Amino acid sequence: MLLPLLLLSTLSAHAQEGFDAASIHLTNDHVPFERDGMTQVAHGTLRMHDVTVSTCIHYAYGVATAQIIGPPELTSEHYDILAAAGHDATDAEMRSMMQKLLAERFHLVLHPDKRESKGYLLTLAPGGLKNSAAIHASEGEGEATHQNSDIGFTAKHFTMKDLANYLASPLQGPVADQTGLPGTYDISVDFRDYVDTGSTLREERPSALAVLNFALKGQLGLQLTAKKAVYDVLVVDRLEAVSAN
């Protein structure tokens, strides 16, 4: 199962505790190098910048955006969101409150389903996980975060499922974690050795899958395998224009 059972059990958000205060505004201010904007959570405060409704569902339900099926409005508008819980809430509480916010402001209704689609498996490469500075076990506890750049990406406190969900965005398809690796990791990937920056012809550029696979194998000891299969998805039944303030 790709969807967390805990989050699937809370698809009805009406009985959940909500944020003490929340503001939602349309924005044209984009976050460089990020497909899904920026999400920051600290001490009961959620800050989201340049996010779509799809990004919000990804955060609230812990599912990759590639596994969210619905109308064009899921990605057509970008928002800045600031929401405060009024107390130092846990990660699960913040996600639950985001579910309620989506239901109240976007009138979001969705349900879990299964669909056959092109997807990918994230597994260990031959030789296993690399013993390198590019990937190592995280020290202590912390929120899962990532940072994209023009040469690669870094991530902190990422589980392998977090990494699979992250990779689903550039691959535009669901990614299932089958590494079997527990715990969280700090990761740093550099794409420069795998991309011909001098090429201007689209047909000469390697695919996202090829670049990611070269980098994951060479630097992390992981690999991606394309696999058409039946994947868990969230299907949006209702979505309305946001009640901005």
Side-chain angles (χ1 to χ4, degrees), residues 205-219:
R205 300 172 189 168
S207 67
L209 176 60
V211 172
L212 286 170
N213 243 344
F214 280 128
L216 292 176
K217 287 181 180 179
Q219 298 176 33

Side-chain angles (χ1 to χ4, degrees), residues 184-199:
T184 63
Y185 297 84
D186 293 348
I187 300 168
S188 179
V189 174
D190 189 329
F191 294 133
R192 284 177 294 185
D193 289 342
Y194 314 106
V195 179
D196 181 7
T197 56
S199 175

Side-chain angles (χ1 to χ4, degrees), residues 11-128:
L11 286 176
S12 177
H14 298 291
Q16 299 168 11
E17 177 187 358
F19 289 110
D20 279 6
S23 64
I24 302 175
H25 300 280
L26 289 168
T27 183
N28 292 315
D29 186 15
H30 298 300
V31 179
F33 312 116
E34 294 287 350
R35 291 172 177 263
D36 299 314
M38 178 186 68
T39 298
Q40 295 177 320
V41 184
H43 306 296
T45 298
L46 171 66
R47 290 181 173 86
M48 306 182 84
H49 179 43
D50 185 29
V51 297
T52 63
V53 176
S54 183
T55 309
C56 294
I57 296 173
H58 158 69
Y59 169 73
Y61 291 96
V63 59
T65 54
Q67 292 167 258
I68 302 169
I69 298 174
E73 288 79 9
L74 280 170
T75 57
S76 60
E77 300 287 359
H78 291 245
Y79 301 92
D80 287 346
I81 299 174
L82 176 62
H87 60 280
D88 199 358
T90 66
D91 179 67
E93 289 172 336
M94 294 294 288
R95 292 175 188 270
S96 177
M97 286 185 277
M98 187 62 187
Q99 292 175 26
K100 185 172 184 181
L101 184 66
L102 288 169
E104 291 176 343
R105 295 292 186 87
F106 292 91
H107 305 288
L108 178 70
V109 178
L110 40 68
H111 71 273
D113 201 351
K114 293 179 180 293
R115 300 285 175 90
E116 184 178 51
S117 69
K118 180 184 73 173
Y120 305 88
L121 304 179
L122 178 66
T123 62
L124 289 171

Side-chain angles (χ1 to χ4, degrees), residues 120-132 134-135 152-153 155 158-160 162-168 170-171 175-176 179 181 187-194 208-226:
Y120 305 88
L121 304 179
L122 178 66
T123 62
L124 289 171
L129 199 67
K130 296 283 188 181
N131 181 18
S132 70
I135 183 168
F153 73 91
F158 254 34
T159 64
M160 286 296 114
D162 290 330
L163 180 59
N165 281 346
Y166 170 82
L167 295 172
L171 291 171
V175 179
T179 63
L181 295 175
I187 300 168
S188 179
V189 174
D190 189 329
F191 294 133
R192 284 177 294 185
D193 289 342
Y194 314 106
L209 176 60
V211 172
L212 286 170
N213 243 344
F214 280 128
L216 292 176
K217 287 181 180 179
Q219 298 176 33
L220 308 183
L222 301 172
Q223 65 183 9
L224 289 161
T225 304

